[in-house]
Amino acid sequence: MAAPLCVIILAAGKGTRMKNMLPKVLHPLAGRPLIEHVLAVADALLPTRIAVVLAPGMRDVEDVVGRSPLAPVVVLQEPQLGTGHALMAAGSALPGLGTVLVMFGDTPLLTSATLRRLVEAREAENAAVAVLGFRPDDPAGYGRLRVDDGRLLEIVEDRHADAVLKRDAACNAGVMAFDTARLGALLQMLPLHPEKNEHYLTDAVAAAVARGWVCITIEGPVSEGIGINSQAQLAEVTRLLQERLRAAALAEGVIMPAPETVHLAVDTEIAPGAVIEPYVVFGPGVRIGAGAIVHSFSHLERAVVAQGAEIGPFARLRPGSEIGEGAKIGNFVETKNMTLAAGAKANHLTYLGDVSVGTKANIGAGTITCNYDGFGKYMTQIGEGAFIGSNTALVAPVMVGAQAIVAAGSVVTRDVPEDGFAVARARQEIKENRAGWLRERLRRRKNG
Ligand code: UD1
Ligand code: CA
C-alpha cells in the first residue's frame, strides 16, 4: 500500500441491543475488550493515523483506547446521529490523501489480510468507495450490496431491502475504504433518515454513484464479517474466535484431546508439547511451558507455568502466579501473586496468596496463607525444602526458613528459623476410658 492510510473506528453507538450497562465495545471477547481486537487489526495495517469516534462520557472506553501503543486520536460525537454522522464528526482527523478505512468497533474478527485486500482493491480501481461484503448464515440486520456488472450501486439497509436483494445480495460487513480526496463531498450528501433520525454512512455509495464515481465490493470470509449487536452475536463470535485460536494452538503442537472444551484468550501462549486437558479456561496473560500439564477444570489468569509443571485438576491460578519447573499445584488449590520455585508442591486444598515458596518445599493439604487482615496484604516466605504440615495457617507477614518443618494444624504467627521445627497448636490430652462415661452423660442430658 503506497498511498497514506488512515483508519477510523466508529464506536460511539449506545449498544442498546446488548441490554447491558457496559458499553458494547468493552464487552470481553477471549480475554480482551472488543475495541482492542479492532485496534490490534488496525495497527497491523501500519496506518499513518488511527482515530476512534466515541460519545462523551465513555471514559472507560477512552482509557482502553489510550492504552493502545498506536496513540489513536479520540474524536467525540454528540449527539449520535448514525454512522454517517459519526464519520462527519471525525472530519478534522482526516488527512488529505490516500485511503480512509472505516471500521466498526463491534466487528472484531476481521483480519489484516482481508482489510489490506480491500484497500488495495480500492486503490487499484481508483474507486471512490470500496466495501467489504460477506455472506453470513443469518443476514438479518445487515445492509445488502446492490451490484450490477461488477460495480457496487448502493447499500440498502435490511429494513428497506426487497425480497430479491434479501435472497441474492451479499451483506455489508461494515468496512468501507474511501478515497480521502472525495470523502468530504460524499459526507455532505448523506440524507437524514427520519424514521431513525440518522445519517447512514452506507448512503455514501449511492451518493458516489450519483456523481458518476466508481464504487466496488470484494467478498471476505464469512467468519470475519460478523458484527455484534446482541449477546447472541457476541456468543457466536466467541465460538468462531475460539475455533480459530484452538486450531492455531493445535498447529503449534499443543496437545489438547478435547479442544472444543478449552477456552483460550487471544494472548494465551502454550509451548508445543504441553498438555491441556478438557475443560480448562484461560483468562488473559497466561504462558505455559513445554511438557507442562494442565488438568481438567482449571482456571488460569495472568499466570506463568514453567516447563514440566503440573496444574490441577480443579486448580485456580489468579494474577501474578508463577509456577516453577516441575512444580505441582493440585486439586482445589488457589494461588495469587506468588511464586512456587522448581519442584515445590502444593497438592491439595490450599490458598497461596502473596507468598514465595522455595525449591522443593512441600505445602501440606489445607494450608492457608492468611495474607489479609481486613486492611492490608502481607507477604509470607517459605524457604527451600521446608515442610508445611497439613491444615497450617501462616499468618503474614511471616517467614519459614529453609528445611524447616511446621507441624500439622499449626497457626504460625512468628518466624520459623532455618532447620527449625514449629508446633503451634494445643497439646493433645488423653483421658483413658472416658468415652463411655461421656456418652452416658450426654444421653441423660438429652432425655432430661
Ligand atoms: C451497520 C450498517 C450495516 C452493516 C452493519 C455491519 C449503517 C447504517 N448500517 O448496521 O449496513 O451491514 O453495520 O455490521 O451503517 N456508531 C457511531 N455513531 C452512531 C451510530 C453508530 O459511532 O451515531 C458506531 C457504533 O458504535 C458501531 C458502528 O457505528 O460500532 C455500527 O453501528 P450499528 O448501530 O451497530 O450499525 P448496524 O445496525 O449494525
Ligand atoms: Ca453493528
Side-chain angles (χ1 to χ4, degrees):
M1 281 179 272
L5 175 68
C6 175
V7 178
I8 299 191
I9 300 170
L10 307 188
K14 295 183 194 77
T16 36
R17 289 168 282 182
M18 298 301 280
K19 300 192 175 151
N20 187 2
M21 296 294 285
L22 188 70
K24 173 157 74 173
V25 294
L26 288 189
H27 279 69
L29 168 66
R32 208 177 255 180
L34 289 180
I35 187 83
E36 277 191 20
H37 290 263
V38 180
L39 284 165
V41 73
D43 180 26
L45 297 171
L46 306 174
T48 41
R49 188 175 321 175
I50 298 186
V52 182
V53 180
L54 300 177
M58 294 173 93
R59 283 286 144 67
D60 297 348
V61 185
E62 273 189 61
D63 288 348
V64 172
V65 171
R67 288 204 302 262
S68 164
L70 325 160
V73 184
V74 170
V75 178
L76 297 182
Q77 180 199 12
E78 172 75 350
Q80 293 82 51
L81 300 180
T83 48
H85 181 256
L87 198 58
M88 294 174 203
S92 59
L94 302 177
L97 282 171
T99 298
V100 170
L101 183 70
V102 179
M103 300 175 69
F104 292 165
D106 67 359
T107 310
L109 293 183
L110 292 157
T111 62
S112 53
T114 300
L115 296 177
R116 209 168 276 133
R117 201 152 63 80
L118 182 71
V119 172
E120 281 167 0
R122 190 210 70 74
E123 285 171 5
E125 310 240 4
N126 192 25
V129 190
V131 177
L132 183 68
F134 78 124
R135 294 180 185 272
D137 296 338
D138 178 10
Y142 293 102
R144 303 303 203 284
L145 305 181
R146 189 191 298 286
V147 176
D148 188 34
D149 206 14
R151 292 287 166 83
L152 177 62
L153 299 182
E154 63 172 337
I155 303 178
V156 186
E157 287 306 305
D158 188 52
R159 74 179 69 80
H160 304 301
D162 58 38
V164 177
L165 265 184
K166 283 194 171 174
R167 191 191 61 211
D168 299 334
C171 289
N172 171 22
V175 195
M176 301 170 85
F178 291 90
D179 176 5
T180 313
R182 288 178 277 182
L183 176 57
L186 294 179
L187 291 179
Q188 283 176 13
M189 295 169 70
L190 302 181
L192 186 74
H193 289 263
E195 74 279 10
K196 290 200 76 189
N197 197 30
E198 286 188 2
H199 297 278
Y200 297 168
L201 183 59
T202 43
D203 287 337
V205 172
V209 170
R211 300 192 72 142
W213 294 339
V214 170
C215 298
I216 60 165
T217 173
I218 63 163
E219 248 176 66
V222 192
S223 62
E224 290 190 27
I226 299 181
I228 296 171
N229 294 330
S230 65
Q231 298 295 344
Q233 280 166 330
L234 175 57
E236 170 68 359
V237 163
T238 300
R239 189 183 66 76
L240 292 165
L241 182 54
Q242 287 298 329
E243 271 174 17
R244 214 189 259 180
L245 296 171
R246 291 169 193 140
L250 290 168
E252 284 288 310
V254 174
I255 301 166
M256 275 194 288
E260 70 283 2
T261 66
V262 174
H263 199 101
L264 299 160
V266 267
D267 62 352
T268 306
E269 287 177 34
I270 310 175
V275 178
I276 310 299
E277 287 188 353
Y279 298 101
V280 172
V281 176
F282 292 95
V286 177
R287 273 197 343 254
I288 307 286
I293 301 179
V294 183
H295 293 291
S296 294
F297 305 107
S298 294
H299 188 284
L300 301 84
E301 181 182 357
R302 302 198 194 287
V304 180
V305 175
Q307 59 183 28
E310 206 173 324
I311 307 296
F314 297 101
R316 176 161 185 220
L317 270 49
R318 290 170 51 206
S321 299
E322 283 183 35
I323 312 303
E325 252 184 76
K328 275 188 171 182
I329 290 288
N331 38 230
F332 306 107
V333 174
E334 174 182 345
T335 67
K336 184 217 73 171
N337 185 35
M338 53 82 74
T339 55
L340 189 71
K345 291 178 189 167
N347 273 335
H348 337 261
L349 300 159
T350 286
Y351 174 58
L352 292 174
D354 301 308
V355 56
S356 66
V357 179
T359 47
K360 296 205 171 152
N362 193 313
I363 310 295
T367 298
I368 305 289
T369 49
C370 310
N371 58 330
Y372 183 52
D373 61 6
F375 297 93
K377 298 269 167 74
Y378 303 96
M379 288 297 297
T380 299
Q381 285 176 48
I382 299 173
E384 63 174 76
F387 181 95
I388 310 294
S390 293
N391 209 33
T392 291
L394 298 157
V395 183
V398 75
M399 263 170 75
V400 176
Q403 311 302 335
I405 296 179
V406 174
S410 291
V411 177
V412 179
T413 54
R414 285 185 292 140
D415 291 354
V416 182
E418 185 175 331
D419 199 36
F421 173 55
V423 195
R425 63 184 185 217
R427 186 177 290 277
Q428 180 171 333
E429 269 188 60
I430 300 284
K431 296 187 174 161
E432 303 269 352
N433 303 321
R434 281 293 280 275
W437 173 86
L438 186 62
R439 250 184 233 112
E440 189 51 33
R441 228 181 98 148
L442 294 172
R443 190 175 297 125
R444 260 194 244 131
R445 184 190 292 170
K446 187 177 174 212
N447 297 337

